[in-house]
Amino acid sequence: MEPSYVSGRADRPLLGRTIGDQLRRSASAHPDVEALVAPHQDIRLTFAQLEEASEEVARALLALGVARGDRVGIWSANRAEWTLVQYATALIGAILVNVNPAYRTHELEFVLRRSGIGVLVAARNFRSTDYVAMLDRVRSRAPSLGRIVLLGAEESWASSWGAFLSGAGKVPREAVAERGSEPDVDDPINIQYTSGTTGLPKGATLSHHNILNNGFFVGERLGLVPGDRICVPVPFYHCFGMVMGTLAALTHGTTVVLPGEAFHPHAVLQAVERERCTALYGVPTMFVSELGSPGFDRFDLSSLRTGIMAGAPCPVEVMKQEVDRMHMHEVTICYGMTETSPVSFQSLPHDDLDRRVSTVGRSIRTSRPRSSTRSPGPPSPGGRRASCARAGTR
């Protein structure tokens, strides 16, 4: 009888530390390496600066009375503040709740009430959606919501980001270190609401151990090292951005580059060229848009070598163009779901093209590829269109 489960070779131990511990380790090991680059905000942070900025946000949260296990929500597209809140909550053992930037008013109210968010950090708007107006309508119907922090000007019922950060001065640095010694690796640290196929969003609770190790092994499979630079146009509210992106980078001393708040193919190509990115993430439609972007051939993408395509069926022709025209000889396919943090399977960088598009890859818990990732060669041409991934979605 065939077994009902599959596991990889346990030849690489799991990380037995919290995300806050990992942030401190990375800042100590790679203090001067860029950790986060957001050209659209004119922000560049080294790992040492990322640790310092995250600690400031953590102290500001403590000033609001946030305790271990309290829920802190983030409702924003991809901005540097998103990552700072992610790491700040991890430093003090609070639970980060990801709020989808595309939520309508009734979905926002549902998530605020169901998750018990006490502090919400929110953008003022996203594209044509007025977040401030939506929050004003629902805030009185979310009994746990005690404080709202806006990334922009304040309202009578909400603080500005600057005013929020000023509260950090009321809390000594030692308080973050003391709080950081409390969390256990198996404590919940993140609640993600999947879109689901029926009814309202469904929450998945993930631990330090879940998502830190998932990010680590994704990075291992990509062969990430300090000096690599990942262009991350996929959203942070989803595991693709905040686990496969930020945590894969954190555990490998690798830089995250944000090409913009939301996806735009020209901005992605521009960021890859200007920042000399070595990896690029996206769903197939993103890569199709990039390849079809006017002036594509004028961009120098020769720095690319790897990346991840996931989230939908991966056409072989798109994969071929990624390899031939975008230099992503070692692009990988990932498969999983939010509840598994998200990746369960990932192809190897040197799997032939047919294997990459016709399978879900191999169990994620294996060691980094044994062949060098610094001398990429084109994979064997291959085969057929196949469903390769639903990374983090249901």
Side-chain angles (χ1 to χ4, degrees), residues 219-232:
E220 288 291 282
R221 184 62 57 86
L222 293 174
L224 295 180
V225 296
D228 274 321
R229 300 169 74 82
I230 312 172
C231 184
V232 181

Side-chain angles (χ1 to χ4, degrees), residues 115-308:
S115 65
I117 289 174
V119 175
L120 177 68
V121 178
R124 290 189 61 87
N125 55 69
F126 177 57
R127 294 176 173 162
S128 62
T129 303
D130 186 345
Y131 285 6
V132 172
M134 292 172 66
L135 283 167
D136 198 21
R137 286 198 293 272
V138 305
R139 60 190 176 89
S140 63
R141 301 199 293 269
S144 64
L145 186 59
R147 188 67 63 93
I148 298 172
V149 177
L150 294 174
L151 301 177
E154 66 181 12
E155 297 287 330
S156 60
W157 42 266
S159 303
S160 69
W161 179 254
F164 162 69
L165 289 182
S166 68
K170 304 173 185 177
V171 177
R173 293 180 179 274
E174 295 76 17
V176 177
E178 291 172 5
R179 182 67 66 82
S181 65
E182 297 175 4
D184 183 82
V185 295
D186 291 320
D187 281 352
I189 194 61
N190 185 218
I191 297 175
Q192 300 211 13
Y193 281 86
T194 66
S195 58
T197 53
T198 59
L200 290 163
K202 301 168 181 63
T205 302
L206 307 172
S207 70
H208 291 269
H209 195 256
N210 291 151
I211 60 178
L212 186 65
N213 277 287
N214 206 277
F216 172 69
F217 281 101
V218 165
E220 288 291 282
R221 184 62 57 86
L222 293 174
L224 295 180
V225 296
D228 274 321
R229 300 169 74 82
I230 312 172
C231 184
V232 181
V234 293
F236 275 162
Y237 81 87
H238 189 280
C239 275
F240 202 166
M242 69 159 287
V243 177
M244 299 150 75
T246 60
L247 295 183
L250 182 69
T251 52
H252 291 85
T254 298
T255 308
V256 168
V257 176
L258 300 181
E261 287 196 17
F263 174 73
H264 189 283
H266 186 273
V268 172
L269 297 171
Q270 189 175 65
V272 169
E273 179 181 63
R274 291 182 176 178
E275 299 296 332
R276 306 308 295 158
C277 295
T278 56
L280 174 60
Y281 289 2
V283 299
T285 54
M286 287 181 173
F287 287 108
V288 170
S289 295
E290 290 153 13
L291 288 160
S293 181
F296 172 87
D297 291 324
R298 294 199 299 268
F299 289 97
D300 178 6
L301 309 180
S302 60
S303 60
L304 288 174
R305 66 172 179 85
T306 190
I308 296 173

